[in-house]
Amino acid sequence: AQSVSQHNHHVILSEAASLELGCNYSYGGTVNLFWYVQYPGQHLQLLLKYFSGDPLVKGIKGFEAEFIKSKFSFNLRKPSVQWSDTAEYFCAVNDSGRGSTLGRLYFGRGTQLTVWP
Amino acid sequence: DAGVTQSPTHLIKTRGQQVTLRCSPKSGHDTVSWYQQALGQGPQFIFQYYEEEERQRGNFPDRFSGHQFPNYSSELNVNALLLGDSALYLCASSLNQGDEQYFGPGTRLTVT
């Protein structure tokens, strides 16, 4: 079965610092990749997604992620974080090429980002 | 346009009891998935419903069952509750099985 690793469990940054959150998955077939964000007291929201095409995808609020197939990675980046980016970030993978598990999302355990003003 | 809604918001049950959680998908969506999110963990897939049938199932015991109605809304039932079933239960809907999923606010279940 697919597994997703998020290596940073808690990241603390000052405003304007750059952010990179790591995400690696285990299965090397055809995948769809997602980053979700959960702001305090709110539900999971989609930040960005990769289905195919340009491996550098841009999402909402200035976030971007790069799919590197050879490294099974989909790292999230933002050049300058804001206090309002404080939230929990989840990487998720969907085996789009495997009919029996199509639609099933595999999540990492999440990274809590705290941004100090 | 209403997003995914879930009820109730919070629920407290005793070990051995049964619980039913409800989910209404985003307008136009026909596929509903359920996830369990334990404290400090990422969501774990329970099962997915499409065309009123369970299409996929994660590694959860038969105590977890579900249903999808003709209007695409869904229920998650858990029998013989255990303390370890305490978690946030998330419902997600999508336009079809492989599309991006939109999540509801969740139901916080506490088993005492």
Side-chain angles (χ1 to χ4, degrees):
Chain A
Q2 183 70 269
S3 67
V4 180
S5 299
Q6 291 183 243
H7 309 296
N8 311 103
H9 295 154
H10 195 178
V11 173
I12 302 173
L13 296 172
S14 299
E15 274 195 321
S18 64
L19 169 72
E20 180 159 4
L21 301 182
C23 172
N24 289 91
Y25 60 95
S26 60
Y27 172 65
T30 306
V31 294
N32 295 330
L33 299 154
F34 307 84
W35 275 96
Y36 283 88
V37 61
Q38 191 167 29
Y39 297 104
Q42 297 187 27
H43 60 275
L44 277 170
Q45 301 171 41
L46 183 67
L47 258 186
L48 48 77
K49 63 183 179 183
Y50 172 81
F51 279 19
S52 64
D54 188 343
L56 184 63
V57 293
K58 295 190 184 300
I60 60 171
K61 304 187 180 185
F63 286 91
E64 65 179 29
E66 184 175 14
F67 170 49
I68 303 179
K69 190 172 183 179
S70 62
K71 295 184 177 180
F72 303 115
S73 71
F74 190 55
N75 292 353
L76 181 70
R77 299 195 293 248
K78 185 171 184 179
S80 176
V81 295
Q82 301 174 318
W83 175 79
S84 58
D85 293 326
T86 294
E88 190 150 22
Y89 293 80
F90 293 93
C91 179
V93 178
N94 166 321
D95 293 336
S96 65
R98 304 178 80 181
S100 64
T101 61
L102 181 66
R104 172 177 180 170
L105 281 177
Y106 298 83
F107 281 86
R109 65 175 294 176
T111 298
Q112 175 63 47
L113 171 66
T114 301
V115 180
W116 293 103
Chain B
D1 176 25
V4 179
T5 59
Q6 293 185 244
S7 63
T9 306
H10 295 89
L11 205 51
I12 300 174
K13 289 287 189 177
T14 304
R15 274 179 300 177
Q17 285 188 317
Q18 178 264 343
V19 68
T20 298
L21 310 182
R22 296 176 175 82
C23 171
S24 291
K26 182 177 167 65
S27 177
H29 287 183
D30 59 7
T31 302
V32 173
S33 302
W34 287 91
Y35 293 82
Q36 180 195 65
Q37 187 178 12
L39 204 59
Q41 301 295 320
Q44 297 288 314
F45 177 81
I46 303 175
F47 42 54
Q48 183 182 75
Y49 277 85
Y50 172 67
E51 292 185 336
E52 301 181 51
E53 290 188 17
E54 182 183 293
R55 299 292 177 168
Q56 294 184 57
R57 188 177 184 89
N59 189 26
F60 280 80
D62 292 345
R63 297 186 297 108
F64 289 77
S65 64
H67 189 78
Q68 185 179 35
F69 299 94
N71 67 353
Y72 308 121
S73 66
S74 176
E75 287 183 349
L76 163 65
N77 301 292
V78 187
N79 294 323
L81 285 166
L82 303 174
L83 294 179
D85 294 332
S86 295
L88 180 67
Y89 288 85
L90 297 169
C91 171
S93 73
S94 57
L95 186 56
N96 55 55
Q97 287 181 276
D99 207 351
E100 66 185 80
Q101 296 180 22
Y102 292 76
F103 284 81
T107 293
R108 172 73 60 188
L109 173 64
T110 302
V111 182
T112 63

